[in-house]
Amino acid sequence: MQILCNDPSMKLWIVKSSRNEMPAYRLIKELIAYRFAELWAIKQPIAALIEVNPEHLKALDIDPTPYSIPCFGSQWRPHRLDWDKFMAFSDKPFIKNFDGFEDLLKIALFDLWTGNEDRFAENHNLLIESSNRRTAILAIDHEAILNSSNSNHNVIYTDSKMMLPETYFNLLSSNSIEHVLSQFKEKRQYCKFLVQEFPNLIEKCSANLKSIFEEIPTEWGINSDEIFEYVQRELFKDSWIETVSEQFTTLASRLK
């Protein structure tokens, strides 16, 4: 839902509610992924926790119940396009002004590490943003991280182990992504650099994990200690880091 907030800039925001699903696992995953992506310097819309006035919803005949607890909001910009809509009308010259090659590769690695099963060829969850004749990529929608796609109702199974998403469920298996990356002459070198930098990127996340979990609203009904222990145990162990690095290297090696 698009709303106008009373923040100092009076910006429009897109808010995601609990959908009456408690605990609010979708929201905690959005928060965790947003903070992790920040630490990775992955471009994304500015996000915040937002409280929605229920009286405004009643006036619009919208059930206020899902919005009665803090929502996850992303700042809306009118000049951003969905990846698929953009690619349908783009032509070769846009590549000359494209600044997102490295971001695409970094997001692909990020998705493997976080177990994001909802960014792939049929659902890129990417926005295109153009400014000053340059074109950049923004990552959105992370509610399916931690191997929690719609098939299991987005529950976080804390007694499970992290698994790699199927090969198809990654940006590097998308034809349109592969087409764009084919224009990136330094992709091999950058992929090697990413694999080398990978441990440092996730170390930043590990160092900030406690402060991220301190942001979780009690209204979300989350067992924060249990989720914290699961994330700490599964995302930062050496065997998982090695598995993700190998899978990323394999997928990257297939690029033209």
Side-chain angles (χ1 to χ4, degrees), residues 77-90:
R77 287 286 190 273
H79 303 299
R80 293 170 178 167
L81 284 177
D82 175 83
W83 173 270
D84 296 307
K85 291 180 181 178
F86 178 82
M87 291 302 294
F89 299 102
S90 66

Side-chain angles (χ1 to χ4, degrees), residues 12-256:
L12 287 170
W13 295 73
I14 304 297
V15 296
K16 181 172 291 189
S17 75
S18 67
R19 303 184 199 176
N20 284 333
E21 297 176 353
M22 296 296 287
Y25 288 119
R26 296 178 192 270
L27 301 183
I28 187 178
K29 286 179 286 180
E30 291 283 7
L31 176 60
I32 291 171
Y34 175 74
R35 291 305 185 198
F36 281 175
E38 250 188 344
L39 294 165
W40 279 47
I42 290 174
K43 298 181 182 69
Q44 54 187 334
I46 295 172
L49 299 182
I50 294 176
E51 294 184 3
V52 179
N53 188 328
E55 297 304 317
H56 294 170
L57 300 180
K58 290 178 183 178
L60 297 171
D61 199 26
I62 296 174
D63 178 12
T65 309
Y67 300 92
S68 62
I69 62 176
C71 300
F72 183 86
S74 298
Q75 205 173 86
W76 184 76
R77 287 286 190 273
H79 303 299
R80 293 170 178 167
L81 284 177
D82 175 83
W83 173 270
D84 296 307
K85 291 180 181 178
F86 178 82
M87 291 302 294
F89 299 102
S90 66
D91 51 21
K92 290 183 179 179
F94 102 91
I95 293 291
K96 296 180 181 178
N97 302 318
F98 186 65
D99 286 332
F101 294 122
E102 294 180 357
D103 291 312
L104 289 175
L105 292 167
K106 189 184 287 188
I107 293 168
L109 176 59
F110 182 81
D111 286 344
L112 290 173
W113 176 58
T114 57
N116 186 1
E117 300 178 339
D118 195 34
R119 196 189 328 270
F120 57 106
E122 296 175 16
N123 189 46
H124 290 90
N125 280 329
L126 296 172
L127 295 179
I128 300 286
E129 183 172 65
S130 296
S131 61
N132 299 322
R133 298 184 179 181
R134 308 302 299 177
T135 303
I137 290 291
L138 291 86
I140 60 170
D141 200 356
H142 297 94
E143 69 177 35
I145 68 168
L146 303 177
N147 297 134
S148 39
S149 64
N150 289 330
S151 62
N152 58 23
H153 308 291
N154 280 282
V155 175
I156 300 175
Y157 292 108
T158 55
D159 59 348
S160 66
K161 293 185 178 298
M162 287 294 298
M163 298 179 294
L164 290 171
E166 294 292 331
T167 300
Y168 175 75
F169 294 99
N170 187 267
L171 285 182
L172 300 189
S173 295
S174 161
N175 288 335
S176 62
I177 297 293
E178 183 175 0
H179 167 70
V180 170
L181 286 175
S182 68
Q183 309 299 313
F184 183 33
K185 297 179 180 179
E186 292 82 28
K187 61 178 170 290
R188 304 294 179 198
Q189 299 94 307
Y190 187 71
C191 286
K192 290 180 180 178
F193 166 78
L194 267 183
V195 172
Q196 293 172 348
E197 186 65 13
F198 182 38
N200 296 327
L201 292 170
I202 60 178
E203 176 57 33
K204 292 181 183 178
C205 297
S206 178
N208 287 273
L209 192 60
K210 184 177 179 180
S211 62
I212 292 171
F213 269 74
E214 288 173 351
E215 296 183 55
I216 300 170
T218 56
E219 296 94 328
W220 287 359
I222 300 290
N223 185 333
S224 297
D225 291 340
E226 184 180 38
I227 304 298
F228 178 90
E229 192 279 331
Y230 171 69
V231 171
Q232 188 178 52
R233 181 186 73 236
E234 291 299 314
L235 287 187
F236 302 102
K237 61 185 179 184
D238 292 341
S239 59
W240 180 241
I241 296 170
E242 183 178 352
T243 297
V244 170
S245 298
E246 290 175 353
Q247 177 71 343
F248 177 75
T249 300
T250 297
L251 291 172
S253 68
R254 299 173 183 174
L255 295 172
K256 296 178 182 179

